[in-house]
Amino acid sequence: MTHTPIEVLLTQPVPEAIDAQLVSAYHVHRLYQQHNPQQLLDEAAPRIRGVVTGGAKGLSTALMDQLPALEIIAISGIGTDAVDLRHAASRGIHVTTTPGVLTADVADLAMGLIISSLRRLGEGERLVRDGLWGRVDLPLARRVSGCALGIVGLGQVGKAIARRAAAFDMSIAYNGRREQPETGYRYEPDLVELARSVDVLVVAASADGGQVLVTAEVLEALGPQGYLVNVARGKLVDEDALVEALREQRIAGAGLDVFVDEPQVPPALLDLNQVSLQPHRGSATLQTRLEMGRMVLDNLQACFRGEVPPNRVIDS
């Protein structure tokens, strides 16, 4: 008897080694390659039992509802804010993530953005590439070592950033849902007061709630000598207020890996020398993406064997 392969929808590229394993185990439909995605869905949707996606892309409720046979949404990442967990649960669909493995990479990038922003590395590189070294003087940069660092969200990533910052002799304070006295860091329950007391504010919070945390008031408190770094989600920051604060030099600079409407970046940010920009690459190392891919494969395999996937998210 001929075995009919399980059909899986892939919303974005994965590393070649993971792609090869997906193809060997499943019939893979590549939504991201389709000129007319709806045409693919009209033909294949009734048979698709799994979706592989990223944390930022997720899966819209409208698309979820086009997949009547769907059993699992396997997210390569830790964010679940782009998936309606309650709706998935109401249909008995597993939602899985890849926790733990991307913590170090995201924390590394946060430190890179802190250094890049304060030391104006992007501006310096552009000057060298444009052949202006020796002809144009750059403003003096800000010392990184010894800064006061505020962390918004002291989860796994936040703690990893704090450990790295300690090696730069930074004083560390944080804001979060609860105080964690065992860390030894200063807890500040008021985010405005945290911003007022630090040189650099790093956003590392979960975006599952979806609300803006860094408001115009927070940016005003951060002040003209303060820097904002965001490695969490763009929607946690009032992006319009941030652009205005940077334009009017009411904050000193920013390092951003995430934006509200990715891959769209506010054009005003592109012209500001005091801003370091990255295309949402917090976990984008080969080593981490391979490990994330292996976890995705494990989650899919368990689901299709009729087991509870090892990294299933439970909607609270």
Side-chain angles (χ1 to χ4, degrees):
M1 187 172 70
T2 304
H3 173 68
T4 302
I6 292 170
E7 299 190 31
V8 169
L9 186 68
L10 187 58
T11 70
Q12 61 191 50
V14 296
E16 287 184 11
I18 302 303
D19 190 281
Q21 292 182 65
L22 280 170
V23 169
S24 69
Y26 308 108
H27 179 175
V28 177
H29 299 279
R30 302 177 191 278
L31 191 65
Y32 61 94
Q33 289 183 342
Q34 301 301 311
H35 176 69
N36 185 350
Q38 190 57 53
Q39 185 175 350
L40 166 67
L41 293 169
D42 289 342
E43 191 279 322
R47 304 186 304 278
I48 289 172
R49 294 172 57 188
V51 170
V52 177
T53 188
K57 183 175 290 293
L59 189 73
S60 70
T61 302
L63 180 49
M64 195 189 311
D65 284 345
Q66 289 190 63
L67 308 174
L70 189 61
E71 299 173 33
I72 181 171
I73 303 166
I75 297 171
S76 183
I78 55 174
T80 60
D81 51 299
V83 175
D84 186 333
L85 296 180
R86 291 186 178 179
H87 189 67
S90 73
R91 289 189 46 195
I93 298 168
H94 296 299
V95 179
T96 63
T97 58
T98 57
V101 295
L102 52 77
T103 299
D105 276 353
V106 177
D108 288 350
L109 184 65
M111 289 305 301
L113 286 171
I114 291 171
I115 295 169
S116 179
S117 302
L118 273 63
R119 293 302 305 269
R120 305 181 77 132
L121 297 187
E123 192 175 356
E125 180 174 357
R126 287 191 295 274
L127 181 141
V128 173
R129 289 184 181 277
D130 292 344
L132 298 176
W133 189 11
R135 292 190 282 160
V136 174
D137 293 327
L138 289 180
L140 293 176
R142 170 71 162 86
R143 179 186 293 166
V144 175
S145 295
C147 281
L149 178 70
I151 301 173
V152 184
L154 199 68
Q156 290 189 34
V157 171
K159 289 186 177 76
I161 293 170
R163 291 193 297 270
R164 287 154 176 75
F168 284 81
D169 298 321
M170 294 183 183
S171 61
I172 298 160
Y174 67 97
N175 171 270
R177 294 172 181 167
R178 61 182 179 86
E179 186 173 3
Q180 301 182 56
E182 69 281 3
T183 65
Y185 308 133
R186 177 174 67 87
Y187 177 61
E188 176 50 72
D190 187 324
L191 184 49
V192 172
E193 290 305 315
L194 177 65
R196 186 171 286 121
S197 69
V198 299
D199 302 306
V200 182
L201 189 68
V202 178
V203 183
S206 164
D208 291 349
Q211 72 274 21
V212 171
L213 299 178
V214 179
T215 61
E217 186 182 8
V218 171
L219 293 168
E220 195 67 29
L222 189 56
Q225 303 302 316
Y227 295 80
L228 178 75
V229 170
N230 189 0
V231 292
R233 283 286 191 270
K235 65 184 178 182
L236 296 180
V237 175
D238 183 333
E239 199 165 68
D240 292 337
L242 174 61
V243 168
E244 287 306 306
L246 288 163
R247 271 177 166 170
E248 298 173 7
Q249 298 184 3
R250 288 186 283 110
I251 66 171
L256 307 172
D257 185 45
V258 290
F259 306 89
V260 171
D261 185 23
E262 296 175 1
Q264 307 304 317
V265 176
L269 292 177
L270 305 178
D271 298 325
L272 296 172
N273 285 328
Q274 72 271 38
V275 181
S276 294
L277 304 172
Q278 285 292 301
H280 201 153
R281 287 175 60 79
S283 66
T285 67
L286 178 60
Q287 293 78 11
T288 291
R289 290 290 173 87
L290 286 173
E291 184 59 30
M292 291 165 68
R294 284 190 283 269
M295 294 176 76
V296 165
L297 290 167
D298 289 345
N299 286 321
L300 290 173
Q301 186 178 59
C303 173
F304 297 139
R305 284 198 306 241
E307 303 169 3
V308 175
N311 301 115
R312 179 171 66 106
V313 175
I314 299 174
D315 175 40
S316 57

